[in-house]
């Protein structure tokens, strides 16, 4: 009875998003390894010039999480549960679902733009490192590959290294919306006993993502799509700003 009572308190969209993400994660985790890899190849977001890219990935990637670490899906779903409930009750289920998916798609578009601006330098570094070449030689190989169909096919296969999965972009959009609608709500971070106002936490998280993202662009990648996080926040900000101007929200938000 207590379990049913707990689940019944979670608004429907938030609850179903968590369930869908968990089901997909379990499918990727439980199914044979080769089939799990195929799921990520098909559904994970690839750079649009890569051989394995397909347009549906802009939507499907946000429902997939790494099976190598439970922390990836745990923290995303915990944040979705913690902040999504308040937002869904404020926005309404239909508008909340639109917002969530829009932030996820926006995050994908910003990540695609980031790859478009950085893929060549990244491939140059990798090609030079793994083949004992200097950077001009590696860049010449990549530039030459663009001149014929065989080279373009080789390049498209190598561009498959650019892939990202996870709901983080949509979740960062939710955090942004919470900070805008409930700016003075006190939040507690892990290991920090002093409450922090939501607006300051959101600003701080955005600043951190910018700094780490710029560091990543300079070649010090940690494997996290930081600009996708920023993309979710940017699209979320624009949507909330538009809704505020249209008078969607009432009261003292």
């Amino acid at each position: 009875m207590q379990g049913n009572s707990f689940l019944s308190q979670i608004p429907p969209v938030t609850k179903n998003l968590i369930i869908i993400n968990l089901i997909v994660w379990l499918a990727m985790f439980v199914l044979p390894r080769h089939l799990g890899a195929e799921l990520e190849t098909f559904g994970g977001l690839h750079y649009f010039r890569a051989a394995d890219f397909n347009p549906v990935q802009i939507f499907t990637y946000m429902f997939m999480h790494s099976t190598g670490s439970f922390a990836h899906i745990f923290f995303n779903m915990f944040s979705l549960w913690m902040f999504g409930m308040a937002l869904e009750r404020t926005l309404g289920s239909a508008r909340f679902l639109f917002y969530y998916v829009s932030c996820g798609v926006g995050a994908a578009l910003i990540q695609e733009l980031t790859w478009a601006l950085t893929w060549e330098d990244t491939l140059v570094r990798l090609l030079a490192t793994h083949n004992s070449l200097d950077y001009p030689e590696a860049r010449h190989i990549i530039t030459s590959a663009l001149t014929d169909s065989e080279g373009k096919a080789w390049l498209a296969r190598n561009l498959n290294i650019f892939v990202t999965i996870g709901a983080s972009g949509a979740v960062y959009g939710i955090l942004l919306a919470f900070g805008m609608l409930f700016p003075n709500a006190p939040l507690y971070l892990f290991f920090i006993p002093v409450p922090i106002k939501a607006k300051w936490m959101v600003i701080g998280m955005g600043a951190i993502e910018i700094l780490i993202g710029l560091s990543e662009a300079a070649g010090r990648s940690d494997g996290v799509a930081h600009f996708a996080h920023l993309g979710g926040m940017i699209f979320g900000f624009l949507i909330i700003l538009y809704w505020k101007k249209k008078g969607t929200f009432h009261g003292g938000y």
Side-chain angles (χ1 to χ4, degrees):
M1 293 295 293
Q2 289 182 346
N4 291 335
S5 177
F6 171 75
L7 290 176
S8 66
Q9 294 177 9
I10 304 176
V13 171
T14 301
K15 178 168 57 180
N16 284 294
L17 285 173
I18 293 173
I19 291 172
I20 292 170
N21 276 277
L22 289 173
I23 289 174
V24 173
W25 183 81
L26 286 173
M28 296 175 66
F29 187 81
V30 173
L31 293 176
R33 181 175 296 274
H34 72 279
L35 184 56
E38 289 176 3
L39 287 174
E40 185 170 332
T41 298
F42 176 80
L45 180 66
H46 291 68
Y47 179 39
F48 73 91
R49 296 176 64 180
D52 290 337
F53 172 78
N54 66 79
V56 75
Q57 294 169 355
I58 294 175
F59 176 78
T60 57
Y61 89 100
M62 71 180 82
F63 297 98
M64 309 180 76
H65 289 81
S66 171
T67 56
S69 172
F70 182 68
H72 188 208
I73 189 169
F74 172 78
F75 284 108
N76 275 343
M77 294 303 100
F78 178 79
S79 299
L80 174 56
W81 167 76
M82 184 174 180
F83 299 102
M85 290 195 300
L87 283 182
E88 184 172 350
R89 290 174 180 140
T90 301
L91 300 176
S93 295
R95 186 176 284 117
F96 174 73
L97 179 60
F98 170 82
Y99 179 83
Y100 180 90
V101 173
S102 296
C103 288
V105 171
L109 296 177
I110 295 298
Q111 186 59 44
E112 289 288 343
L113 176 61
T114 301
W115 282 332
L117 297 174
T118 61
W119 73 266
E120 185 172 348
D121 287 339
T122 301
L123 280 188
V124 166
R125 287 194 297 268
L126 291 174
L127 190 62
T129 300
H130 293 292
N131 295 277
S132 301
L133 302 172
D134 57 32
Y135 279 19
E137 289 176 314
R139 193 174 298 277
H140 176 70
I141 292 173
I142 292 174
T143 303
S144 299
L146 296 171
T147 61
D148 60 79
S149 58
E150 185 177 341
K152 290 179 180 179
W154 170 84
L155 185 60
R157 290 192 299 272
N158 280 275
L159 288 174
N160 282 329
I161 65 171
F162 298 104
V163 57
T164 189
I165 56 176
S168 299
V171 168
Y172 267 73
I174 286 178
L175 294 174
L176 185 282
F178 188 89
M180 291 182 70
L181 300 181
F182 309 101
N184 295 316
L187 300 176
Y188 291 86
L189 301 179
F190 292 112
F191 310 116
I192 302 178
V194 179
I196 301 175
K197 290 184 177 181
K199 59 184 177 182
W200 301 125
M201 187 196 74
V202 169
I203 291 173
M205 291 176 65
I208 291 172
E209 291 300 313
I210 291 174
L211 292 175
I212 299 178
L214 292 175
S215 175
E216 184 179 76
R220 295 182 290 277
S221 176
D222 60 0
V224 178
H226 295 285
F227 282 109
H229 299 171
L230 287 170
M233 298 180 82
I234 291 170
F235 273 71
F237 175 80
L238 294 176
I239 293 171
I240 295 297
L241 195 63
Y242 174 77
W243 282 343
K244 280 191 170 186
K245 288 186 176 181
K246 293 288 289 184
T248 298
F249 306 114
H250 303 284
Y253 299 120

